[in-house]
Amino acid sequence: MSDEYDLIVLGAGTVGENIADRAVQGGLSVAIVEHELVGGECSYWACTPSKALLRPLAARRAAKAVRGAREAVTGDVDVAEVLARRDWFVGDWSDEGQVTWLESADIALVRGHGRLSGIREVTVTEGDGAERTLRARHAVAIATGSRAAIPPIDGLAEAEPWTSRDATSANEIPGSLAIIGGGVVAVEMATVFAGLGATVTVLARTGVLGGFEPFAGERVVDALRAQGVDVRLDTETVRVRRDIAGVTITTGDGVEIHADEVLVATGRVPRSDDIGIEAAGLEPGRPISTDDTMRVPGVDWLYAAGDVTGRVLMTHQGKYEARAAGDVIAARATGAPVDDAPWGRHVATADHSAVPQVVFGDPEVAAVGLTEAAARDAGIDVAVVDYDLGAVAGAKLHADRYAGHARAIIDKSRDVLVGATFVGPDVAELLHAATIAIVGEVPVKRLWHAVPSYPTVSEVWLRLCEEYGRESA
Ligand SMILES: Cc1cc2nc3c(=O)[nH]c(=O)nc-3n(C[C@H](O)[C@H](O)[C@H](O)COP(=O)(O)OP(=O)(O)OC[C@H]3O[C@@H](n4cnc5c(N)ncnc54)[C@H](O)[C@@H]3O)c2cc1C
Ligand SMILES: NC(=O)c1ccc[n+]([C@@H]2O[C@H](COP(=O)([O-])OP(=O)(O)OC[C@H]3O[C@@H](n4cnc5c(N)ncnc54)[C@H](O)[C@@H]3O)[C@@H](O)[C@H]2O)c1
């Protein structure tokens, strides 16, 4: 009977770990199946190493931006030390620490590749090829994440491009790097590799950071160019070839770009292609759709959360979904009350309206909720409030010639914030106040009473209220 558990979680990334933890805390027995490293993409090849690589560059930039401190910065970052610090953060790609945590959390680890093989049943192919069948008394939760998409560009796959995994785990900085894509990975990795000494070219099919307010991408492009990155907008990549000298990339207008390496940063595909989901009547390779309790409609024992659902591809939001899923699986299994009304304990309501994201480039971009365009598309009675962050006293003190911008999107009919975007140095920490205001539906007339400390960059909140005007509230 040892292979029977209340819940089986497929995939031990951050999301799977959190589902399992919540379910154990809710009184269930849980097994988690992992075929690679416990901790998943975020811990070893995504959030953690990318931010570990970006941070020394940002710290140096911050010191250089303040007269008096600037004079103390007499050299470049130490590349070997930057890479060594990254290696420390990823535990040298060993999951020993996370396995110890699983043990302490009372979660059983089964190593191997898991596939659904029947109702509430997962068959695991272990490293030696042996098969082991696990049965779940109550539920199976899929948290198998995503992998980098390789678009069907002539010769791209054969040229063995870098994906974000190769970029975040690089042990040497190539002399030159071409990046296909204009999204979050492209911006962050262009910042890293240009900062660490590579000659970087970004080939963006349209603009940069589409989906954010347009001024975000524009400011990031200006800053990347000022750092020496060759950013080519509206540039289709049509062919890629690798030879002994490196890669040659041909663009839609016939221009050839030569680089030592090419990084493909064109989005993600869900890892749902080889997990047996046809056993639950689902289509392999597609995102796994769920309701807001993260249960798959029509399959009452099957749940999914994180990247594999395609809902929101970010760790913090996947963990949020995981908390809802783990708690609701435990509640349904034990007959406890289920709170699945919007904003209840067992639903991931914020996925629809209040998703925060920080792009850790130079400048940083921090955004939550709706952009102006998305709010108008949703038929909201929109007020757009803009403010020059560089005009805030706290920002002037923070960095000499601080340049940044803030935009608030207000639903006039409800007098609440529905979106906010900040662009500038160190704006990441401004974001959570906006997330709270949106989730809490704090009336703007009440926000006037949330007094920001002087002289902080957060004083932009007061300026945004003043720009909007008290009489309109
Ligand atoms: C370069 C980069 C930087 C990022 N930076 C950030 C950031 O700063 N902040 C942020 O919020 N998000 C960031 N993200 C997004 C974040 O990494 C993902 O949203 C997050 O990792 C998703 O977690 P997950 O648990 O759903 O999937 P994963 O982390 O991919 O975990 C899935 C796990 O399942 C395992 N698995 C898959 N199939 C099977 C199977 N059949 N059997 C057994 N095990 C299986 C995998 O090995 C893996 O361990 C970044 C992404 C990238 C690519
Ligand atoms: N700081 C963070 O929160 C962070 C950092 C990195 C990644 N992530 C997550 O990882 C996910 C993946 O990031 P990403 O940058 O790969 O994806 P993305 O969706 O952010 O950007 C993809 C880019 O590739 C372009 N593109 C798509 N198909 C293309 C094609 N065939 N040819 C050329 N260009 C093409 C798109 O126009 C877009 O610019 C994101 O959804 C993001 O949420 C988050």
Side-chain angles (χ1 to χ4, degrees):
M1 291 306 285
S2 63
D3 274 354
E4 189 163 287
Y5 297 86
D6 291 327
L7 168 67
I8 299 164
V9 179
L10 195 49
T14 330
V15 175
E17 288 180 310
N18 276 270
I19 299 173
D21 187 36
R22 298 301 292 200
V24 168
Q25 289 185 40
L28 305 191
S29 64
V30 181
I32 195 163
V33 184
E34 174 56 51
H35 66 188
E36 210 170 1
L37 293 179
V38 174
E41 207 70 21
C42 181
S43 306
Y44 306 101
W45 297 284
C47 332
T48 301
S50 60
K51 272 76 245 180
L53 291 168
L54 283 157
R55 181 62 199 148
L57 299 166
R60 180 178 181 278
R61 224 168 29 237
K64 292 265 291 179
V66 180
R67 188 175 163 195
R70 180 181 309 140
E71 287 67 24
V73 182
T74 52
D76 283 332
V77 290
D78 182 322
V79 175
E81 286 299 317
V82 172
L83 298 180
R85 183 172 183 271
R86 181 272 323 267
D87 292 353
W88 182 84
F89 269 101
V90 299
D92 289 314
W93 290 276
S94 156
D95 62 5
E96 211 176 309
Q98 304 245 16
V99 172
T100 305
W101 176 80
L102 282 183
E103 284 162 9
S104 71
D106 210 14
I107 300 163
L109 171 62
V110 179
R111 292 227 186 239
H113 185 86
R115 293 179 188 85
L116 287 181
S117 48
I119 296 172
R120 288 191 291 275
E121 187 184 277
V122 171
T123 297
V124 181
T125 309
E126 296 174 313
D128 58 3
E131 290 202 339
R132 178 173 167 188
T133 299
L134 308 175
R135 290 194 178 78
R137 277 183 285 267
H138 296 289
V140 175
I142 298 179
T144 48
S146 64
R147 67 167 76 84
I150 309 288
I153 294 170
D154 177 17
L156 179 61
E158 295 74 12
E160 295 182 357
W162 274 13
T163 67
S164 51
R165 278 197 171 200
D166 304 285
T168 54
S169 62
N171 284 320
E172 281 172 20
I173 308 306
S176 53
L177 177 69
I179 303 178
I180 304 173
V184 190
V185 171
V187 167
E188 291 187 348
M189 289 302 110
T191 307
V192 167
F193 283 92
L196 296 181
T199 301
V200 177
T201 306
V202 172
L203 302 167
R205 193 166 56 168
T206 49
V208 162
L209 295 183
F212 289 84
E213 294 285 6
F215 68 81
E218 286 159 16
R219 281 175 178 256
V220 165
V221 168
D222 288 348
L224 283 172
R225 284 179 173 157
Q227 278 179 70
V229 176
D230 179 1
V231 184
R232 304 196 185 188
L233 305 176
D234 303 311
T235 301
E236 193 82 34
T237 300
V238 294
R239 193 165 56 245
V240 180
R241 294 284 182 268
R242 184 185 285 275
D243 62 21
I244 195 147
V247 284
T248 302
I249 296 164
T250 310
T251 65
D253 44 10
V255 173
E256 288 195 341
I257 292 144
H258 303 280
D260 292 331
E261 287 297 345
V262 57
L263 165 63
V264 57
T266 55
R268 313 280 300 173
V269 288
R271 275 197 278 206
S272 65
D273 47 342
D274 185 21
I275 57 169
I277 54 170
E278 50 281 24
L282 304 177
E283 193 185 332
R286 306 272 314 148
I288 300 178
S289 298
T290 69
D291 62 21
D292 274 358
T293 69
M294 312 314 297
R295 185 159 65 175
V296 175
V299 192
D300 68 356
W301 52 272
L302 189 63
Y303 292 75
D307 277 18
V308 76
T309 66
R311 278 167 77 103
V312 183
L313 281 74
M314 273 177 289
T315 291
H316 45 269
Q317 216 66 21
K319 284 164 64 181
Y320 163 74
E321 295 163 4
R323 290 190 287 274
D327 284 355
V328 81
I329 291 167
R332 287 179 175 140
T334 58
V338 170
D339 182 6
D340 61 359
W343 304 110
R345 173 178 174 181
H346 296 130
V347 282
T349 310
D351 280 5
H352 306 296
S353 58
V355 174
Q357 179 164 27
V358 175
V359 185
F360 292 85
D362 165 26
E364 287 177 351
V365 175
V368 58
L370 300 174
T371 59
E372 175 187 358
R376 292 197 193 286
D377 284 350
I380 290 171
D381 183 15
V382 171
V384 179
V385 188
D386 284 299
Y387 200 78
D388 172 9
L389 262 183
V392 175
K396 289 182 201 288
L397 284 156
H398 187 80
D400 302 338
R401 290 183 295 281
Y402 187 106
H405 192 80
R407 172 170 290 178
I409 305 297
I410 292 167
D411 178 343
K412 287 195 281 184
S413 63
R414 291 194 301 136
D415 186 40
V416 292
L417 188 74
V418 291
T421 300
F422 305 97
V423 181
D426 303 320
V427 293
E429 300 295 345
L430 285 180
L431 190 61
H432 197 54
T435 308
I436 292 170
I438 293 173
V439 171
E441 299 176 85
V442 182
V444 177
K445 63 174 185 255
R446 180 59 69 87
L447 277 182
W448 277 88
H449 295 273
V451 183
S453 299
Y454 181 85
T456 60
V457 187
S458 288
E459 233 192 350
V460 69
W461 283 98
L462 171 59
R463 303 292 169 232
L464 289 167
C465 284
E466 287 170 343
E467 286 293 308
Y468 184 51
R470 212 159 193 173
E471 57 285 355
S472 30

